[in-house]
Amino acid sequence: MKKVTWPKHSVLVIALIATWLTTYIGYITSFNMKIDNVMQEFILFMNPLSFLLFIYGMALFMKSAKRRNIYIFSISLITSIIMFSNAVFYRFFNDFITLPVLFQTSNFGDLSSSIGANVHALDIFFFTDVIIVALAIKFIPTSERSLSQRSIGRKLYFVIAATILMVNLGLSEAQRPQLLTRSFDRELLVKNIGTYNYHIYDLFIQSKTHAQRALADGSELAEAANYINANYAEPNPEMFGVAKGRNVIFISLESLQNFVINNEMNGYEITPFLNELTKDPDTFYFNNFYHQTGLGKTSDSEFIVENSLYGRNGGAVFFTNSGNAYHSMSEKLGDNGYFTSVMHANNRSFWNRDIMYQALGIQKFYDVESYTIGEGEAVNWGMKDIPFLEQSVEIMKTMPQPFSTRMITLTNHHPFDLDEEDMIIPPYDSNSKTLNKYFQTVRYMDEAIKIFFEDLKKSGIYDNSIIVMYGDHYGISENHNKAMGMYLDKEITPLDNVELQKVPMFIHIPGYGKGKTIDELSGQMDIRPTVLHLLGIDTKEDMQMGADIFSKDHEPFVIFRDGRLVTENMIYAHEVCYDIQTGEPTDGNACEPYIERANTELGYSDLIINGDLLRFTDKEEK
Ligand code: GP9
Ligand code: MN
């Protein structure tokens, strides 16, 4: 048999091609990225190449064949792990991994049930290149001599790699101007510069933020304050102080979206108690209200409610900026004689809450240690909502009044598992197990809230309190569009995906009698000033970006953390400006002023948080 002679750099070339193709196939199978034209498809295809050429090319500097092979093998393994982790993360968060999230290791234990549900057997595919590289190393003979590399050849190799990178960046810039300077959207980055380059970019951005704090000074605060003052909304005199002196009970409704309210699933009412509240004279129900969270999910919603500032773009602000100075709502209530707390039957370190709550001036955190979890009282992520809310009322009885507390529910959390005995309605029958179970856990949460209201009335606390309830963020991600489409009986468009970010918000004021449904377009950023004004507390001097929804000056405009936005007539999402009436794309110019405004607002919010600017306010300096 004729002996095959392999060209000198066969292992390197095979590794390069194998990882390149594995990455590309990974893109198309695991990430739901919108590709509009052939050029974008081409960019997606070529984007892993420049990085892989550079990183594998380092092998050319290694003299020993053994070392070189170990290096090539390690790179194929690391790149596979990066792609695999991103795929699993994407299924859960619908986003790509960013560095700060990786450092949230204390979350990983608790996330394990969700991670488990998101790892698929077929994910072994991401390691195809590792297997190919291993086989290549095993079967392709290498002699030390053949590996010597002339420096001219090496130079040429890196010139080609650099050229490919430039072409990649050039084409991307043409497709998406200002990609690297203005983008709030990780998907666009991955689509254009590739996962690997994106992670390098992320590293760069994170270290920049680090430096930002060091470089920030008081003058930037004045600039942000000007913007904030210009947007201040005067309280509505009819509403200011209607709940003065009352306790305020916030309930964070885990993953509750607005589409279930006043709706049915196969003939079953999903939220009978909340539906009743929408018609209750003591309740304001906000039916055109959006969550504004990012990757930090529940913790972002808490951050927004406390500060009326946006969470961070990459990662959870609860982790990245827990050392900042804040003037939170809890601190303000504390200054006004309130006893402030959070009640949540989970580990205190989850989402770094123990640390962040100190920065937010929350006086007491009733974490899992404050609860007794009896036999059968835990499911999914922890304590079930019914016993949690029941025991919380007992704890409330011990609190000095007036108090403010935020109760964070948990049962309606992905993967929406429930014990048989808690299933009040049957599952839905779509192709998405997640959506099918979601209706059942939502129904359970509704029951828990009903019981909570009863218990609160019995405790005597009810009459002297107001109850503010809101969905913390979406529960059903875009990965379930097909099933959602079946439920809503329409094809889900990017416009629908925006509208599905509506979460219900209720303000229940016992004895008030003039409640109604409020259709004003609003969002979580508005909770803080709205509630403070109801309690008769002034917000004129506050460094916050929300507006009282009852105010005549309230602007119907909602900005998402990722730069999407909603106005009364338009929705801007993924570079397209839609007319809400027709559901069709319109002339982009109509959205332009709002895009500008959204960038300004998000920019100032980031400036305040990244620069830790609130440390420069008078109060802090004292
Ligand atoms: C964890 C709970 C859920 O304590 O608040 O967090 P989430 O995953 O929804 O952000
Ligand atoms: Mn949540």
Side-chain angles (χ1 to χ4, degrees), residues 154-172:
R154 211 157 50 199
K155 270 192 198 127
L156 189 67
Y157 174 97
F158 283 102
V159 167
I160 291 171
T163 311
I164 292 178
L165 177 65
M166 289 306 155
V167 171
N168 187 166
L169 289 178
L171 291 175
S172 307

